[in-house]
Amino acid sequence: MSAPTSPDAVAAFAAEVGPPEAGPVTAVGGRTQWGVGGFVDALDAREVRAPAGIVAVEAADMTVRVRAGTTVSELDAALAEVGQTVALPAWTDATVGGVLAVGHSGLRRLGWGPVRDVLLEARVVSADGRVVKAGGPTVKNVSGYDLCRLLVGSLGTLALTAEVVLRTRPLPAVERWLAGKADPFALVARLYRPAAVLWDGATTWVLLDGHPDDVAAQAALARLAEADGPPDLPGPHRWSLRPSELPALATSSAVGTGRFVAEVGVGVVHTDRPPRPHPVDSHVVELHRRIKAVFDPGGRLNPGRDPLATTAAGAASTANRGPA
């Protein structure tokens, strides 16, 4: 399976970004998470769009090469034809490059792992307009620093992603949502790798996926009723807590009277209340400054956006979120 777009699409994207004298630049995707980390200085930054298209699906190797402007839903549809999928949240209109830049995992993170584990190789455009490759199509041929993981969640402030190689996974034969009154923390320990366990302080939702017999056995163990799907997620705020801190949410004044849905075993909390700000450790700030100075000393990539802004607030504000 190959993309209809030109093989020189990545080079053309680099030419559009241009050299440093071309000025500040920002890569635009589906704008589904546009406010994360602060808004780009729109008056100064020129907008560019990453190339789109699925270059190659390597079903036997369980990898896919895809350009960053491709929507996740388009990629999911192509992979479904070979019985595979990819662990990226399929928010409406979200692009592969945008999802990786933000670094937020979907509701299946408990069972499918974080977004950063999906990325094997990245071809990016650096701040000086060059095409740079990080990682490799298989884990075994990668050595040195894992720059791919550094790029995930960097909000496009270190480089602009043009094309990636992603790890795929088998498409589950069966998926079942269950819900009811149950201790979510006991369920996480009792069940074998549930894809998701959600909790709003009163009701627990569980997503099971895999072979039909295995799912049926786990559903009997969970002893919950069938559900149509996950609950509506409150917003627009997304907290990040230690998983061990979640039980206190039911009685904590941290959420006040606001709604919340917590991803048990993960630590992400979706809520309509902003988090309490807390300072970022000075060592983290200094490390961030040094990395930025190496990758983008002139500050031309996504000016105004700061990955540490989400950390300082304890969470990221998001828009147009939907279930994974």
Side-chain angles (χ1 to χ4, degrees), residues 90-181:
W91 295 306
T92 302
D93 297 328
T95 61
V96 169
V99 168
L100 292 172
V102 172
H104 288 174
S105 302
L107 293 182
R108 293 175 173 85
R109 176 176 172 172
L110 180 65
W112 289 19
V115 161
R116 66 174 180 270
D117 289 350
V118 175
L119 182 60
L120 296 175
E121 177 188 307
R123 293 178 70 195
V124 301
V125 178
S126 65
D128 58 3
R130 294 183 298 121
V131 177
V132 179
K133 183 178 82 72
T138 62
V139 175
K140 291 183 179 179
N141 69 0
V142 177
S143 60
Y145 294 106
D146 191 349
L147 294 182
C148 285
R149 293 201 177 201
L150 186 63
L151 295 172
V152 174
S154 66
L155 300 178
T157 60
L158 302 181
L160 302 181
T161 303
E163 184 178 289
V164 295
V165 175
L166 305 177
R167 188 196 316 267
T168 66
R169 57 182 296 119
L171 192 66
V174 171
E175 283 192 346
R176 288 174 63 182
W177 277 99
L178 309 173
K181 306 294 183 183

Side-chain angles (χ1 to χ4, degrees), residues 153-154 157-158 280-295 305-309:
S154 66
T157 60
L158 302 181
V280 180
D281 186 275
S282 60
H283 297 90
V284 174
V285 174
E286 174 60 16
L287 180 60
H288 172 79
R289 185 196 65 77
R290 290 168 58 189
I291 292 173
K292 178 68 173 176
V294 170
F295 282 81
R305 195 161 278 161
D306 181 10
L308 290 186

